[in-house]
Amino acid sequence: CIETTQPPASPAWWTILCALWLGVALLLAGGFLWSHLRSRRVYNASLPCRDGFILDWLADHPLRRPVQARISARIAAPLTYGVLYPVILLPARMDWEDRETLSCVLAHEHTHIRRFDALRKVFLAAVLCIHWFNPLVWVMYALSNRDIELACDEAVMKGLTAPERRRYGETLLALAARAPRGLGSLAVTLCEEKKQLKERLYCIVKYKKSGPMVIFLSLVLTAAGGACA
């Protein structure tokens, strides 16, 4: 009986693919984490807001979670961060006497907090890290971030009059400076991308409140879709 030695088996392709998937996923997750930690340094250097108008506005719009307003000289546009203890971070160079602009900013950021948009961005980042190999997920990530801002604008405009909506659009234009953004940005900013600003302004100008018939038809179509599912 002649013993034969078999060559060592080569690694299975699925093992190589799993290693590649895990490596890229960890790389992306590390990028998000690094960007978040870098942003936290800016957040931690901010100062509490003592403006009476802002404090009164927040007191008049309470949430179950405590909302804090802070000021930073290292940002150019307002943003919101935090989930359990949300913070509205305002640039130090804002015109603190312009109460109408402050009201628009607070309404926008307060809506982000109420809708848990910061948590949505964390979830989207996690999905992107896990499904990085799927190009459709990258498209979903970009479109979902855009839709977060569009949905927030729509929610704010529901409680505004026509002149107030115009003022809201003017506020977006005035604060369309460079805002913290990029792959790892998990904060929710007022002006996420300049290229999206045109679409947001168009939606503001064309915004119309849904009438009773539109709402009724939407409910009927939703019910019909559920019945056919």
Side-chain angles (χ1 to χ4, degrees), residues 197-226:
L197 185 61
K198 182 178 180 180
E199 180 181 8
R200 293 174 63 186
L201 291 175
Y202 177 82
C203 293
I204 291 173
V205 172
K206 297 297 182 180
Y207 174 79
K208 291 183 180 179
K209 293 184 178 180
S210 300
M213 182 58 66
V214 174
I215 296 176
F216 173 75
L217 290 176
S218 299
L219 292 175
V220 170
L221 290 175
T222 301

Side-chain angles (χ1 to χ4, degrees), residues 142-162:
L143 294 180
S144 295
N145 279 284
R146 182 204 65 175
D147 290 343
I148 285 175
E149 293 300 328
L150 291 175
C152 182
D153 290 338
E154 183 178 3
V156 172
M157 288 186 294
K158 287 181 179 179
L160 301 180
T161 62

Side-chain angles (χ1 to χ4, degrees), residues 110-225:
H110 190 269
T111 302
H112 275 312
I113 294 173
R114 180 170 54 84
R115 293 168 54 88
F116 288 90
D117 284 339
L119 184 60
R120 295 172 191 262
K121 296 200 71 171
V122 173
F123 174 76
L124 289 172
V127 171
L128 184 64
C129 291
I130 296 173
H131 298 278
W132 59 264
F133 53 87
N134 189 341
L136 295 180
V137 173
W138 289 85
V139 175
M140 179 274 297
Y141 179 80
L143 294 180
S144 295
N145 279 284
R146 182 204 65 175
D147 290 343
I148 285 175
E149 293 300 328
L150 291 175
C152 182
D153 290 338
E154 183 178 3
V156 172
M157 288 186 294
K158 287 181 179 179
L160 301 180
T161 62
E164 291 172 336
R165 291 197 294 271
R166 182 173 63 251
R167 180 60 179 176
Y168 181 76
E170 293 172 352
T171 299
L172 288 181
L173 280 175
L175 297 177
R178 287 184 176 271
R181 57 182 179 265
L183 180 63
S185 178
L186 298 179
V188 187
T189 65
L190 181 68
C191 303
E192 185 75 17
E193 293 284 354
K194 284 186 177 181
K195 63 183 180 181
Q196 297 176 4
L197 185 61
K198 182 178 180 180
E199 180 181 8
R200 293 174 63 186
L201 291 175
Y202 177 82
C203 293
I204 291 173
V205 172
K206 297 297 182 180
Y207 174 79
K208 291 183 180 179
K209 293 184 178 180
S210 300
M213 182 58 66
V214 174
I215 296 176
F216 173 75
L217 290 176
S218 299
L219 292 175
V220 170
L221 290 175
T222 301

Side-chain angles (χ1 to χ4, degrees), residues 79-105:
L79 60 88
T80 296
Y81 66 91
V83 177
L84 297 179
Y85 300 96
V87 175
I88 298 176
L89 191 59
L90 302 170
R93 289 173 290 181
M94 286 192 65
D95 184 1
W96 301 102
E97 300 301 324
D98 190 349
R99 302 308 195 190
E100 291 184 351
T101 296
L102 287 176
S103 296
C104 292
V105 170

